Amino acid sequence: MTQTLRLGIAGLGTVGASVLRMVARRAQALTAATGRTIAVSAVSARDRNRNRGVDLASVQWFDDPVALARSGEIDVFVELMGGSEGAAKDAVEAALAAGKHVVTANKALLAHHGAALARSAEEHGVTLAYEASVAGGIPVIKAIREGLAGNEVSRVYGILNGTCNYILSRMEAEGLTFEACLKDAQALGYAEADPTFDVEGFDTAHKLAILTSLAFGVEIDAEGVSVEGISAIQPLDLTMADELGYRIKLLGVAQATAEGIEQRVHPTMVPKASAIAQVMGVTNAVTVDADAVGELTLIGPGAGGEATASAVVADIADVALSSSAPGLARPTFGRPVSGLAAPRRVEMQRHEGGYYIRLTVHDRTGVAAGVATRMAEANISIESIVQRRSAKAASSDPQGLSGQPVPLVLITYAATEGNVRKALSAIDRDGLLAEAPQLIRIERD
Ligand SMILES: NC(=O)c1ccc[n+]([C@@H]2O[C@H](COP(=O)([O-])OP(=O)(O)OC[C@H]3O[C@@H](n4cnc5c(N)ncnc54)[C@H](OP(=O)(O)O)[C@@H]3O)[C@@H](O)[C@H]2O)c1
């Protein structure tokens, strides 16, 4: 048998502690699968005295993760600290430069520095593995990079943030506000004290940028993702979606167009019958549209110590195999960095698709006709229009003379974002709106 593969793990929090337990628990099976003994030989975290529920007696402790990354006592540096800069970036760079394989769960690091890190891994002849960085326990990186190598991908999209999906699922099921559901998510530990990163879509954007690179063979371009979160979604939008045959999900979508790759994160109406619409709570899902397989959807746990450790340990097992048979090593993003195309951004204004538009209009005769005119002028065809007046308003003001604010919901056929924005500006200039409009894109099968 070849030598033991020695792991250095930096970060002993939710994921790190689970990885330690899993490597110990699955030791025999991992050896059987890889032909090597895999053992943790050193660790690093901030607080040496914290009880982490794992036995650290036989492993070396490093206060400095960069020193651990460079240590001659390890073969693989497992980065589970998090953050795109600082300790995680310094330590991963140091590990690659020192010729260590790197396994990480850090989407922020990959999204911002993926190409440079992959280049360094190539230069030093080592693996940079990151299965856990997207959709936690779902093996989506492997599925796209390895399982779909013979396919041309046209679109990849997914529910990549469990916190947002939990909030939207509860808003839908219980008619609650975003704020109430966020509070519950925080109480249950699904959302951070500062939830901005999750609920405003940035976490999804990082994961999407990684998927885009893999699926389309382009360099990661996290800054090129158009990002919109879920904080403006109201219970009425979920009710209307339900009536119109849709569910609202925060999706990350990467789509090939004639101009380049659209990358967008936004609340999205998906047909209720679609696979992705069935995904509720903290669960994640990724759908890939590809020429040979058609539509493929992977659904599973996107977070949590054990599920995420599952992906990290799978990467460690791959490294154990490929480091003794280097021909098995995979380029980080499915092809050498020099073979990745430069990203061609597509402005959101050029996006073409269906739209749900909820206007809050003054309840006056002729308002719906005024809205329809402005839509037609911007070349937008309306698939359906729903005007809501309460029973009270209908009886107290049967002719609609009061001008009370009422919702007017439109579903459009395919239109460009630019034209939709133009029409909404004209409607606003006409003085028809009592509130800012709500606009949700529709993603059809
Ligand atoms: N949690 C999940 O479900 C999940 C899912 C997918 C991906 N991830 C990713 O996995 C990574 C780890 O997440 P986590 O939830 O396990 O985080 P966590 O519970 O906050 O743990 C972070 C660990 O990193 C250590 N650390 C932080 N800064 C350090 C530094 N400068 N030097 C040494 N150690 C440092 C901390 O030390 P102390 O314990 O001493 O403070 C802690 O042990 C992140 O990149 C995250 O995005 C997490």
Side-chain angles (χ1 to χ4, degrees):
M1 184 171 292
T2 43
Q3 278 178 326
T4 297
L5 186 77
R6 301 164 305 165
L7 310 178
I9 300 184
L12 299 173
T14 307
V15 182
S18 290
V19 168
L20 272 166
R21 280 191 287 270
M22 197 175 287
V23 168
R25 191 169 80 226
R26 298 284 297 160
Q28 274 189 349
L30 289 167
T31 302
T34 65
R36 294 185 75 172
T37 303
I38 298 174
V40 179
S41 57
V43 296
S44 176
R46 279 179 300 215
D47 180 355
R48 190 171 186 161
N49 299 317
R50 181 174 296 173
N51 178 6
R52 303 166 191 282
V54 284
D55 182 10
L56 299 175
S58 60
V59 299
Q60 201 178 337
W61 177 275
F62 284 77
D63 285 324
D64 176 9
V66 177
L68 169 61
R70 294 198 182 110
S71 163
E73 300 300 312
I74 68 164
D75 306 304
V76 184
F77 180 66
V78 184
E79 186 281 304
L80 301 170
M81 296 179 286
S84 65
E85 311 299 324
K89 177 168 178 273
D90 294 347
V92 167
E93 284 174 347
L96 295 172
K100 317 284 181 192
H101 304 286
V102 170
V103 173
T104 179
N106 190 336
K107 57 252 165 179
L109 179 70
L110 262 294
H112 290 292
H113 306 292
L117 295 175
R119 212 169 277 122
S120 177
E122 275 172 30
E123 280 165 17
H124 295 93
V126 291
T127 296
L128 169 61
Y130 53 95
E131 181 63 71
S133 67
V134 181
I138 306 176
V140 64
I141 305 294
K142 262 188 221 302
I144 295 177
R145 185 178 55 193
E146 293 154 41
L148 297 178
N151 286 254
E152 181 171 346
V153 175
S154 52
R155 181 171 62 160
V156 54
Y157 60 99
I159 296 170
L160 301 171
N161 184 279
T163 309
C164 289
N165 207 48
Y166 169 82
I167 291 172
L168 290 171
S169 299
R170 287 218 41 208
M171 286 178 74
E172 181 191 321
E174 296 169 53
L176 298 171
T177 61
F178 166 79
E179 289 75 15
C181 295
L182 172 60
K183 236 185 223 161
D184 282 355
Q186 284 169 321
L188 289 164
Y190 294 153
E192 304 283 337
D194 177 1
T196 315
F197 201 68
D198 288 322
V199 301
E200 297 306 344
F202 301 112
D203 175 74
T204 301
H206 283 161
K207 295 166 180 168
L208 180 70
I210 296 170
L211 291 182
T212 305
S213 176
L214 274 172
F216 298 101
V218 295
E219 270 194 30
I220 284 195
D221 180 22
E223 281 74 29
V225 183
S226 159
V227 188
E228 213 175 275
I230 62 167
S231 55
I233 299 293
Q234 294 187 10
L236 177 59
D237 297 316
L238 289 141
T239 309
M240 293 307 305
D242 183 48
E243 283 180 26
L244 293 159
Y246 295 96
R247 283 210 163 111
I248 300 176
K249 299 289 180 191
L250 183 77
L251 291 193
V253 185
Q255 184 166 11
T257 73
E259 283 92 35
I261 313 281
E262 261 183 29
Q263 292 191 91
R264 45 194 170 84
V265 172
H266 49 67
T268 312
M269 294 228 181
V270 292
K272 253 195 246 177
S274 63
I276 211 132
Q278 316 313 315
V279 177
M280 306 302 273
V282 292
T283 305
N284 279 198
V286 179
T287 297
V288 184
D289 290 338
D291 59 352
V293 293
E295 186 186 287
L296 183 76
T297 299
L298 300 167
I299 298 174
E306 281 287 296
T308 309
S310 160
V312 172
V313 170
D315 277 345
I316 293 170
D318 275 357
V319 170
L321 268 174
S322 61
S323 55
S324 44
L328 292 178
R330 304 271 177 177
T332 308
F333 295 108
R335 59 181 81 177
V337 178
S338 60
L340 294 170
R344 278 193 299 147
R345 291 184 185 173
V346 182
E347 294 304 317
M348 201 58 208
Q349 292 292 317
R350 308 196 66 154
H351 167 69
E352 191 167 351
Y355 286 81
Y356 159 98
I357 301 166
R358 177 172 57 76
L359 305 176
T360 306
V361 295
H362 298 291
D363 186 13
R364 290 193 210 107
T365 316
V367 167
V371 167
T373 302
R374 290 302 191 190
M375 289 285 166
E377 283 169 2
N379 285 325
I380 298 165
S381 304
I382 295 169
E383 187 181 296
S384 54
I385 182 162
V386 182
Q387 189 166 13
R388 279 286 151 85
R389 296 187 79 212
S390 65
K392 197 169 146 210
S395 62
S396 66
D397 179 25
Q399 289 180 314
L401 302 172
S402 68
Q404 286 298 306
V406 289
L408 178 69
V409 171
L410 313 167
I411 297 286
T412 75
Y413 285 108
T416 63
E417 178 109 1
N419 282 352
V420 170
R421 300 268 177 206
K422 213 186 296 166
L424 292 179
S425 300
I427 292 165
D428 192 23
R429 277 199 305 277
D430 291 344
L432 302 179
L433 298 182
E435 277 175 25
Q438 172 71 289
L439 190 154
I440 302 177
R441 293 148 197 104
I442 300 173
E443 199 74 24
R444 298 197 166 103
D445 289 344

